Amino acid sequence: MVDSVALPVITGGDSIESYIQRVNAMPMLTHEQEIDLANRYRHDNDLEAAGQLVMSHLRVVVSIARGYAGYGLQQADLIQEGNIGLMKAVKRFEPTRGVRLFSFAVHWIKAEIHEYILRNWRLVRIATTKAQRKLFFNLRSKKTGFAALTRAQAEVIAHDLGVKPEEVFEMETRMTGQDIALMAEDGDDDGYAPIDWLADSDNEPVRQMERQSYDRLQSEGLQQALGTLDPRSRRIIEARWLGDEGSTTLHELAAEFSVSAERIRQIEAKALQKMKDALEPAMA
């Protein structure tokens, strides 16, 4: 299967540029070479041919992934998700249709990156319909400046993307909202900050008991949920979600367990669901 193709590994943020240099140094294929390799893979299940198709298009993934740098996710993970999309494209590519793999793969690469962003960006919970997802990924390019949208501008964007103007405003708020300082700046004795308007109820006995109970539930519940996993699944979850220095990438874990990045992602998804099922009774 294409999933077993060994890709260059991105070992961390510091090596992202060296990875890009490596994939950019890989030779491009002519149209004839592309057709020959695709036929070898489709008709003879030649994994070496599939590997050459994937490797020669890794630079395409890098180029596309760079366009999603503003969503607060690691570039390495965006590239790896795009690589999975590329492998899916190679698996489904039919050279007889006269379309170059580059053009065919763009859809699969973007689709995989989009799904990854929507799964991981906690602010975008309203992007549940196709129209809202289109709004999410196109609002930045539709805006003509940094100023807030006017009603007229929002109506134009809403019409173009098939959503309501109110949805445009809400998405803009979610994507451009900034943190507000709780405390006043040093030296600003005459100013007022949000903390001046808030009642301090954290130290009330009832609140302290609730917080202690919740913290205990979170800690014990998490450990119990992790205890339901097999050693490999637990290692993947701890590396991806519970590490102190950021998440381990899919390809790092793929190299550790000698499987594909896609397989690691499947194990991760299954493990998270199993943990969620284990936690639900405690959170009810």
Side-chain angles (χ1 to χ4, degrees):
M1 299 295 291
V2 179
D3 296 346
S4 63
V5 172
L7 300 177
V9 177
I10 308 175
T11 56
D14 293 338
S15 64
I16 187 69
E17 290 303 323
S18 63
Y19 171 86
I20 293 173
Q21 291 176 2
R22 279 184 288 159
V23 300
N24 285 340
M26 295 177 182
M28 297 289 289
L29 300 175
T30 65
H31 193 189
E32 292 74 18
Q33 289 174 325
E34 188 175 286
I35 293 174
D36 176 62
L37 291 169
N39 284 327
R40 283 166 50 190
Y41 172 61
R42 289 187 63 83
H43 301 308
D44 304 324
N45 196 29
D46 187 338
L47 294 183
E48 183 179 347
Q52 290 184 51
L53 288 171
V54 171
M55 292 293 186
S56 64
H57 287 77
L58 290 177
R59 68 181 71 196
V60 178
V61 176
V62 170
S63 177
I64 293 174
R66 279 177 162 172
Y68 296 92
Y71 293 95
L73 298 172
Q74 293 186 17
Q75 189 73 8
D77 282 337
L78 292 173
I79 291 173
Q80 289 172 151
E81 293 295 324
N83 286 345
I84 292 171
L86 172 60
M87 289 189 287
K88 290 182 177 180
V90 169
K91 185 176 180 179
R92 294 165 174 80
F93 181 57
E94 296 182 11
T96 56
R97 294 189 176 183
V99 178
R100 293 297 299 268
L101 177 57
F102 169 87
S103 301
F104 181 76
V106 167
H107 163 76
W108 292 96
I109 295 168
K110 287 186 175 181
E112 209 68 27
I113 292 176
H114 285 189
E115 287 300 319
Y116 176 74
I117 292 173
L118 290 174
R119 285 198 311 270
N120 289 275
W121 205 39
R122 61 183 176 85
L123 295 179
V124 191
R125 295 307 182 194
I126 65 168
T128 56
T129 68
K130 183 177 180 180
Q132 289 170 337
R133 291 185 182 197
K134 185 177 181 182
L135 168 62
F136 173 51
F137 287 108
N138 286 277
L139 183 56
R140 277 190 175 88
S141 61
K142 291 288 184 181
K143 290 186 65 173
T144 56
F146 295 104
L149 290 172
T150 65
R151 181 72 187 185
Q153 291 172 328
E155 289 177 349
V156 171
I157 294 175
H159 179 269
D160 290 343
L161 300 179
V163 296
K164 298 177 182 179
E166 289 72 21
E167 290 179 297
V168 175
F169 284 124
E170 183 174 0
M171 187 65 75
E172 180 191 32
T173 300
R174 287 173 177 266
M175 297 178 69
T176 61
Q178 298 179 350
D179 295 333
I180 299 175
L182 184 63
M183 307 288 291
E185 295 183 4
D186 292 339
D188 188 10
D189 297 331
D190 297 329
Y192 290 92
I195 196 170
D196 298 318
W197 311 329
L198 302 177
D200 183 11
S201 59
D202 283 347
N203 292 322
E204 294 178 356
V206 174
R207 291 296 297 274
Q208 288 188 21
M209 292 176 65
E210 289 177 349
R211 185 163 56 248
Q212 291 171 1
S213 176
Y214 180 80
D215 290 343
R216 184 172 61 255
L217 176 63
Q218 289 289 87
S219 178
E220 294 176 356
L222 179 59
Q223 290 303 316
Q224 290 175 1
L226 285 171
T228 66
L229 304 179
D230 61 86
R232 181 172 65 171
S233 298
R234 178 164 182 161
R235 161 62 182 152
I236 291 172
I237 292 299
E238 290 178 339
R240 291 283 288 165
W241 297 98
L242 303 178
D244 295 332
E245 299 180 356
S247 64
T248 305
T249 64
L250 294 171
H251 275 288
E252 287 175 325
L253 290 167
E256 179 178 334
F257 290 104
S258 300
V259 297
S260 67
E262 172 66 11
R263 179 58 182 153
I264 293 295
R265 190 175 67 155
Q266 291 172 356
I267 296 172
E268 177 187 22
K270 185 176 180 180
L272 287 173
Q273 184 59 52
K274 188 172 184 179
M275 291 178 64
K276 180 180 178 182
D277 294 341
L279 285 169
E280 280 183 351
M283 300 299 291

